[in-house]
């Protein structure tokens, strides 16, 4: 494996870590409604548990309400029960075929808890990025040890790997700050 290949690998893996982090952030509830909040809800569909998005259409009615439109008539009660039983603290209500899921107003204490959760998710993402940096640096050192690269190339590539790492950590910090601001906005 060449140094260029190690760097390309590092870049793509760090980008994957950032996108996984963004996905985790989208599941953390803010004051506004977001259909992605219900991604983790599993519904009993003919004996197997499937994601809610596979048995219903999710959309926004307004800034504080998600609507769930089941594709089959008999699924309404099961979907309602699944949302109620999830650990999201939501209380859906049926209106004919349509299920409305209002987002409750968050207390100041709950907002602070969520910002702590966002920070810990951010720290986990940074740890993942740093671990990728360590692995890449070790791969470069291994190439030098096997005499497939020079020590100058090692120093240069370690500096470039550090720049990539710094860029991704700044991105994580930016995402954390944006999410915290979103949560604390009343």
């Amino acid at each position: 494996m060449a140094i260029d290949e190690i760097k390309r690998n590092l870049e793509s893996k760090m980008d994957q870590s950032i996108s996984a982090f963004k996905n985790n952030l989208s599941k953390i509830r803010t004051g506004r409604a977001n259909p992605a909040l219900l991604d983790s809800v599993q519904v009993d569909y003919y004996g197997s548990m499937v994601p809610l998005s596979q048995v219903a259409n999710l959309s926004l009615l307004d800034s504080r309400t998600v609507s769930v439109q089941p594709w089959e008539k008999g699924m309404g009660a099961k979907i309602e029960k699944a949302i109620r039983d999830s650990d999201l603290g939501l209380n859906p209500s049926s209106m004919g075929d349509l299920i409305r899921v209002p987002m409750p107003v968050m207390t100041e204490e709950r907002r602070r808890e969520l910002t702590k959760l966002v920070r810990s998710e951010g720290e986990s993402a940074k740890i993942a990025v740093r671990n990728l940096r360590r692995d890449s640096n070790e791969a470069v050192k291994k190439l030098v040890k096997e005499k497939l690269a020079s020590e100058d190339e090692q120093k240069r590539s370690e500096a470039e790997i550090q720049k990539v790492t710094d860029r991704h950590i700044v991105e994580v910090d930016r995402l954390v700050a944006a999410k915290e601001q979103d949560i604390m906005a009343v």
Side-chain angles (χ1 to χ4, degrees):
M1 187 187 292
I3 290 178
D4 288 340
E5 194 177 330
I6 291 172
K7 288 186 224 167
R8 275 195 306 274
N9 243 349
L10 171 75
E11 186 87 34
S12 74
K13 285 182 179 176
M14 282 188 180
D15 288 343
Q16 288 172 357
S17 291
I18 296 291
S19 66
F21 174 58
K22 285 180 183 175
N23 187 28
N24 289 347
L25 281 185
S26 73
K27 293 176 184 168
I28 296 175
R29 186 160 73 91
T30 61
R32 290 192 305 272
N34 181 356
L37 287 172
L38 299 175
D39 284 350
S40 62
V41 176
Q42 298 280 318
V43 180
D44 179 27
Y45 185 68
Y46 296 110
S48 61
M49 298 304 280
V50 296
L52 178 59
S53 59
Q54 291 183 9
V55 295
N57 185 28
L58 306 174
S59 60
L60 288 178
L61 287 177
D62 57 51
S63 65
R64 300 191 84 78
T65 312
V66 176
S67 75
V68 180
Q69 181 78 45
W71 292 326
E72 291 183 28
K73 290 250 187 245
M75 289 301 295
K78 289 181 180 179
I79 290 173
E80 241 186 291
K81 182 180 180 331
I83 293 171
R84 204 169 271 123
D85 293 348
S86 71
D87 60 349
L88 298 172
L90 301 174
N91 191 16
S93 62
S94 285
M95 294 177 57
D97 289 344
L98 183 72
I99 299 169
R100 297 170 54 103
V101 185
M103 295 295 133
V105 178
M106 289 196 300
T107 63
E108 188 69 23
E109 182 181 339
R110 180 69 177 141
R111 290 177 193 274
R112 292 193 196 292
E113 286 174 19
L114 289 175
T115 55
K116 286 179 185 173
L117 179 64
V118 167
R119 286 189 193 122
S120 80
E121 286 285 339
E123 201 51 47
S124 297
K126 287 181 190 178
I127 289 169
V129 166
R130 291 181 189 125
N131 286 342
L132 290 169
R133 173 190 62 191
R134 183 197 62 221
D135 295 344
S136 296
N137 282 337
E138 285 175 0
V140 170
K141 285 178 186 171
K142 188 176 176 189
L143 288 178
V144 171
K145 195 174 184 181
E146 295 171 354
K147 306 237 185 286
L148 297 172
S150 68
E151 287 186 18
D152 288 343
E153 288 175 314
Q154 177 186 356
K155 294 288 183 212
R156 203 173 312 116
S157 66
E158 283 178 356
E160 289 171 13
I161 288 170
Q162 186 60 46
K163 284 181 186 171
V164 171
T165 303
D166 291 344
R167 192 173 70 238
H168 283 82
I169 286 183
V170 164
E171 174 70 7
V172 168
D173 287 338
R174 187 186 65 74
L175 290 169
V176 166
K179 188 67 173 187
E180 282 181 353
Q181 190 175 16
D182 202 18
I183 289 171
M184 294 310 282
V186 179

